[in-house]
Amino acid sequence: MIAHAFKLDRFEPERIVTSNWVGPKTLAAVRFIETLYVWIVIVAVWISYDTAADYLKYFTNLTYFGLSVYLLCTSLWTIGYLRQPASSRGDWINTKAGGWLGYLHWLLYSTVICFHIVVPIVFWTLLSDGPIPTALGRWRNYSVHLLDGVLAISELVLNRHFLQPIHSLFVAGVMLFYMFLTFVVHKTQGTWVYPFLNWDQGPKAAIYYIGLCVGLFVVFFLLLLVHKYRNKWLANCAAKVNPELSHHEASHMAKVEGDVEAGMTEKHEL
């Protein structure tokens, strides 16, 4: 019921592990390198904070962790997909990433692709306050506020995912939950996580809050269009670099025809 209402039942697991541009082997290699890099960054950033609470109060860190989990899952699924015979790859990924596990992955992707366009824009326009004195600090800063956007765009270029308009509500819900968290942090620690969220600014703060929400929806629906037309224009290319898709489609059609024939036979016998 929930899956149908939020159009999650339209999820196609094979889109996780295939690309419009490259074959699964190349896709797996790229994702493996990206996954290794982001988890190194996660550890480097984590140890730079005194407490877990300090780390978790920043939207950048939370969204970067989401990116890391997304890349880890897609890497494991892509590698597992490659280990199967071409004729059974579709059935394997449908089994491993079907149902709610796949639905949650799809929603996670919606947040990852959207937030990692928004985060670099917000940071470099509102929060960047000059050079960082150490090389390690600069590397961490560029990794979570710039290269995260590069990784998101890399996924956007390579994958075959698509977005659903209603999923924008989930993405906005995550953002609203974080805004609620900033009020909790302010109440308990007496400081605002980000200066532009400070309500002492008066109407200016309201403009920032509204602007962020509007900007989030604008980015989401622009990305929705990019996904839609990318998949439409590159459909032939995707078929060429993923010949196993034809095996799965043929198997699926044979199963459907077999079910129809069995149903007709049963009806005739009755």
Side-chain angles (χ1 to χ4, degrees):
M1 187 69 175
I2 296 176
H4 180 70
F6 284 91
K7 301 187 184 301
L8 293 170
D9 51 358
R10 299 186 182 185
F11 178 60
E12 301 173 27
E14 208 155 7
R15 289 184 177 275
I16 298 173
V17 292
T18 53
S19 169
N20 287 314
W21 291 104
V22 299
K25 289 183 179 179
T26 302
L27 184 63
V30 171
R31 283 174 166 171
F32 176 79
I33 294 170
E34 291 176 342
T35 301
L36 184 61
Y37 180 81
V38 296
W39 281 97
I40 291 173
V41 173
I42 282 283
V43 173
V45 173
W46 175 272
I47 63 177
S48 69
Y49 288 90
D50 294 329
T51 66
D54 287 337
Y55 174 87
L56 294 172
K57 71 182 181 181
Y58 289 101
F59 189 70
T60 296
N61 294 338
L62 294 174
T63 57
Y64 200 87
F65 184 75
L67 172 66
S68 304
V69 171
Y70 168 80
L71 286 173
L72 178 62
C73 291
T74 52
S75 295
L76 293 176
W77 275 332
T78 308
I79 293 170
Y81 181 78
L82 280 171
R83 296 180 62 188
Q84 312 306 312
S87 59
S88 60
R89 286 176 177 174
D91 292 332
W92 181 86
I93 192 62
N94 283 334
T95 299
K96 295 297 182 181
W100 276 100
L101 184 60
Y103 299 162
L104 292 174
H105 179 83
W106 196 13
L107 292 173
L108 175 62
Y109 173 74
S110 298
T111 64
V112 164
I113 197 65
C114 191
F115 290 152
H116 289 284
I117 300 298
V118 172
V119 165
I121 293 173
V122 172
F123 178 80
W124 294 106
T125 56
L126 297 177
L127 297 172
S128 179
D129 55 358
I132 298 174
T134 66
L136 179 60
R138 287 192 295 272
W139 170 70
R140 286 194 299 246
N141 186 48
Y142 288 131
S143 292
V144 299
H145 293 124
L146 184 61
L147 290 181
D148 66 314
V150 174
L151 293 174
I153 292 173
S154 172
E155 266 298 302
L156 175 62
V157 171
L158 290 176
N159 70 42
R160 295 178 59 241
H161 270 305
F162 62 96
L163 302 178
Q164 286 286 351
I166 196 170
H167 295 174
S168 63
L169 299 180
F170 178 80
V171 176
V174 173
M175 176 67 82
L176 288 173
F177 178 79
Y178 177 75
M179 288 184 174
F180 169 76
L181 178 63
T182 64
F183 282 89
V184 174
V185 172
H186 178 257
K187 184 68 175 179
T188 56
Q189 297 185 4
T191 59
W192 291 96
V193 180
Y194 298 112
F196 63 86
L197 296 178
N198 188 345
W199 277 99
D200 291 337
Q201 301 174 96
K204 187 177 179 180
I207 293 173
Y208 279 133
Y209 279 84
I210 295 172
L212 279 173
C213 292
V214 172
L216 189 69
F217 279 102
V218 170
V219 169
F220 182 90
F221 282 97
L222 285 175
L223 287 169
L224 184 149
L225 292 175
V226 171
H227 282 77
K228 177 181 177 180
Y229 288 104
R230 177 206 61 189
N231 290 338
K232 179 180 179 180
W233 293 335
L234 297 177
N236 291 334
C237 183
K240 290 179 182 178
V241 297
N242 299 289
E244 64 275 9
L245 290 178
S246 60
H247 287 287
H248 178 230
E249 289 172 1
S251 174
H252 177 70
M253 288 303 297
K255 182 178 183 303
V256 171
E257 290 173 0
D259 291 343
V260 171
E261 184 177 346
M264 293 179 64
T265 301
E266 182 180 352
K267 183 177 180 180
H268 178 72
E269 289 175 352
L270 290 175

